[in-house]
Amino acid sequence: LAERMSNAIKDPYWSSLVRNNILLAEGMAKEAVDRENPDPEITLEKYMKIRRDTIGARQLFDLGRWIYDLDIPCEVLTHPDIVKIENLLVDIVSLANDLYSYRKECFERDANHNHITVAFRDPITNLRENDLQGAIDYTYSKFCQVLKDWEDRKKALPSFGESEDAQVVKYIEMVTGVVVGTIQWSLECRRYGHSEAAETAEAPNWGEVIFELDQL
């Protein structure tokens, strides 16, 4: 498969895809360790740094640039403002995914590596012990904050030149579509239990706990 892909996807897209897949593999290894032996002192900042590699969004950004034939210069792609926008979009996907997957992970006793769980451990949140709704609300608030930061950053992007700006606009549209698509998929598929078949006899009684985002 790698050989077939490398024959079709040429540089600069291929080298970036390989680099991001290496980061994904390294991040997944760290995640596996954390799920088995959770670090009681892990912070949300440290968690999100790992999560950016494990969510697998950057590979879609690479493939999107290849599909749309966006020849964006390296100095533009690595510009701090572009990198920040990419990180914010990756965080949007990660936070939404953690909200949608938390219930399923709890059913499977595998929720150690999740923003909601880490929120309990990080003193910065000032949450009461076992305040599940508080942790969910905190994660949702972070999602809204990151979304606003992304909107503000997008409006404040500098000009890179007429030709480059046109490419950047297309790139921002593409990666935004990736983010929206992954969230829609999370809601519509059965993977995270948001379907008629979601409830099981073994499911705990969550009471009035709200797992969904109100609006996107």
Side-chain angles (χ1 to χ4, degrees):
L1 178 59
E3 182 178 355
R4 292 173 62 186
M5 289 183 66
S6 65
N7 288 333
I9 306 173
K10 303 301 182 182
D11 277 334
Y13 317 109
W14 178 251
S15 58
S16 181
L17 181 63
V18 170
R19 181 169 59 251
N20 284 322
N21 273 325
I22 291 173
L23 292 174
L24 173 65
E26 293 174 348
M28 293 295 289
K30 294 176 183 176
E31 177 180 337
V33 171
D34 188 47
R35 288 187 183 277
E36 291 296 325
N37 300 289
D39 179 1
E41 297 182 358
I42 191 172
T43 63
L44 289 171
E45 182 180 2
K46 181 179 178 181
Y47 168 77
M48 287 303 295
K49 185 176 180 180
I50 298 173
R51 195 72 172 101
R52 289 187 189 114
D53 293 334
T54 62
I55 193 65
R58 298 187 192 281
Q59 291 82 350
L60 298 178
F61 296 173
D62 293 329
L63 291 172
R65 286 192 294 112
W66 167 62
I67 291 170
Y68 287 96
D69 194 25
L70 298 179
D71 188 19
I72 303 175
C74 180
E75 60 269 21
V76 175
L77 277 179
T78 57
H79 189 278
D81 288 335
I82 297 295
V83 172
K84 182 62 177 179
I85 280 182
E86 287 181 340
N87 284 339
L88 289 169
L89 286 169
V90 172
D91 287 353
I92 289 172
V93 176
S94 301
L95 291 165
N97 183 268
D98 281 9
L99 281 161
Y100 294 140
S101 65
Y102 184 76
R103 180 168 58 179
K104 174 179 180 289
E105 292 174 358
C106 284
F107 291 164
E108 298 174 351
R109 304 295 187 266
D110 193 28
N112 286 325
H113 193 82
N114 187 295
H115 192 280
I116 294 171
T117 302
V118 179
F120 283 124
R121 307 176 194 165
D122 194 331
I124 197 175
T125 63
N126 294 315
L127 290 173
R128 300 189 307 273
E129 186 176 0
N130 298 323
D131 183 6
L132 177 57
Q133 187 64 64
I136 293 171
D137 292 344
Y138 185 91
T139 300
Y140 174 59
S141 295
K142 183 64 175 178
F143 172 91
C144 294
Q145 176 189 331
V146 172
L147 181 60
K148 183 180 185 305
D149 289 347
W150 167 71
E151 291 173 339
D152 292 342
R153 287 273 182 170
K154 184 175 66 169
K155 294 175 183 177
L157 270 178
S159 175
F160 302 101
E162 185 176 352
S163 175
E164 290 80 3
D165 287 349
Q167 295 274 309
V168 168
V169 168
K170 293 180 181 178
Y171 180 57
I172 297 298
E173 290 176 352
M174 181 273 293
V175 293
T176 302
V178 169
V179 171
V180 173
T182 57
I183 294 176
Q184 289 177 334
W185 176 81
S186 297
L187 284 170
E188 295 176 9
C189 76
R190 294 175 178 265
R191 177 181 175 86
Y192 297 122
H194 302 279
S195 67
E196 295 177 358
E199 302 301 327
T200 65
E202 296 77 20
N205 180 11
W206 297 106
E208 297 300 318
V209 172
I210 301 172
F211 287 88
E212 306 285 345
L213 297 184
D214 293 333
Q215 296 179 352
L216 297 180

